[in-house]
Amino acid sequence: MIRRPPRSTLSSSSAASDVYKRQVSTQSTGILVLLMSTSPRRSCCHPTRVLMTIATKACLIKHKSVPQWVKFALVHLLSRVTCYWLPNLVLHLMQVSGIGAQWRIQGKRMPNPALASKAIRHNIMTDVIGYWGVAWFFNKLLTTGGNKKHRGNLGDTRVEVQVPLGAKEGDELTVSLPSGEGKYSVKVPAGVVPGDTFPATTPAARQGWSCLRFGGDWPSWFTQLWQVSVGYLGYDMMFYWSHRLLHHRAIYKHIHKVHHEFHTPIGPSSSYEHPAESTAQLFNWYLPIGFAGWLNKELHWSTLLLYNCFRWIETVDAHSGYELPFSLFNLVPVFGSATMHDYHHRAVLGNYGASTFWDWLCSTNSGYWEEVLEDGFLRGGKFVKP
């Protein structure tokens, strides 16, 4: 039986909340300046095309001189800025202004201000210093295996194509890829006659067992959707069992207790953890999306970016301390809501999964539902009957 957290832990602490506001404000201002400096200019082009162009330039995808592991790191950092730091900034502004106070799960109760500042510093240092080594390792892991002769062609390549006799505008011509992977089709452009040549771009080689590709055309939205979905399902399974293992009494006090210093979770607490736990989580993060690439025989860098964005938004939402009525993770029942993960931080046991599936299957959500049935949902620091 999972024990219910003591009611006394739900008492509000407005003094801690005030100090928290003052200490976090300075750091949040710096993040805001960073976000403003990367804002895109207005464009009359289609929004999707504008976002693709911005992401391509931000991650230096077309720069052949940039090592692939650096591009891998930039893809992750772009997702961190847009889908971790930006949502956390919004949550902070909500907290200090009182907007959405009715959705705050534990009401005015806030974590220790020193702990909150420590978590923010920890995340900044991870992004500025720590992640570069991580990116090198996991880029190496995902690109291990495959045909070694393909590895030299890490970016798109411009080639000259000669138009054969009888070809006309719009006809498709087959070009051999410099990577040796096979053939690639290009269309004859307007104004070119047989015998002329025209420049064309052949896509970068697929790298390793995950078929990671930093170049070429963006996949269809359907392909990206199912690959991100497969990655998330794999992550959810690995996360549930590794998370449950970290709660074993022989391991918990040495590793996972660091993350549970936050009895009242906030957005930055989502990636505040022991280095050993971070290592486990990174394998949980990247192996499933690599498997999705293996299934598709291609993992385009843009799909990896979307997967990273989805995962960061999901984990920040779970630790936000707000049950936002318009949140996807609140509206779709398969996801574990912020309320469910807030219970996990209060009770320390139960609700281990990112989704609800594994907790339902293994009956590790019983304590949470007992609390809901007896007392109701926690809103504004008070239990509200459903």
Side-chain angles (χ1 to χ4, degrees), residues 81-260:
V81 171
T82 57
C83 299
Y84 175 85
W85 287 112
L86 182 57
N88 271 310
L89 177 60
V90 172
L91 289 169
H92 170 66
L93 295 175
M94 288 175 61
Q95 199 274 323
V96 297
S97 66
I99 296 174
Q102 69 275 24
W103 302 324
R104 181 145 186 86
I105 299 168
Q106 296 193 37
K108 294 182 179 181
R109 189 170 190 266
M110 295 297 297
N112 183 292
L115 178 62
S117 295
K118 182 180 178 183
I120 293 174
R121 291 195 302 271
H122 168 85
N123 281 283
I124 292 174
M125 292 301 293
T126 297
D127 287 347
V128 173
I129 299 176
Y131 192 74
W132 298 98
V134 170
W136 179 88
F137 176 82
F138 281 95
N139 175 71
K140 194 77 172 177
L141 179 65
L142 291 179
T143 57
T144 297
N147 194 332
K148 292 184 178 180
K149 70 179 181 179
H150 296 168
R151 295 183 183 178
N153 185 42
L154 302 183
D156 292 345
T157 303
R158 290 186 67 82
V159 295
E160 291 293 325
V161 181
Q162 186 172 30
V163 182
L165 293 175
K168 58 183 182 300
E169 178 186 340
D171 286 354
E172 288 194 353
L173 304 180
T174 301
V175 180
S176 296
L177 296 177
S179 62
E181 285 187 322
K183 305 293 183 179
Y184 183 68
S185 295
V186 295
K187 289 186 177 182
V188 177
V192 179
V193 298
D196 288 351
T197 60
F198 65 92
T201 301
T202 59
R206 295 187 292 267
Q207 304 290 310
W209 67 272
S210 68
C211 302
L212 182 60
R213 188 198 291 276
F214 279 85
D217 296 332
W218 281 42
S220 68
W221 284 109
F222 176 76
T223 298
Q224 292 182 318
L225 177 63
W226 77 254
Q227 284 193 287
V228 170
S229 299
V230 167
Y232 178 74
L233 292 174
Y235 167 81
D236 185 39
M237 179 186 69
M238 295 179 68
F239 175 73
Y240 175 86
W241 290 107
S242 62
H243 188 192
R244 189 170 175 179
L245 177 63
L246 287 171
H247 277 268
H248 189 281
R249 62 179 60 189
I251 302 175
Y252 174 80
K253 62 181 179 180
H254 301 293
I255 298 176
H256 195 47
K257 190 176 181 179
V258 173
H259 182 66
H260 274 276

Side-chain angles (χ1 to χ4, degrees), residues 302-323:
S302 62
T303 305
L304 180 62
L305 174 63
L306 292 174
Y307 172 75
N308 289 343
C309 288
F310 176 79
R311 282 289 305 112
W312 280 123
I313 292 174
E314 186 266 341
T315 193
V316 170
D317 180 89
H319 291 84
S320 66
Y322 287 87
E323 187 68 20

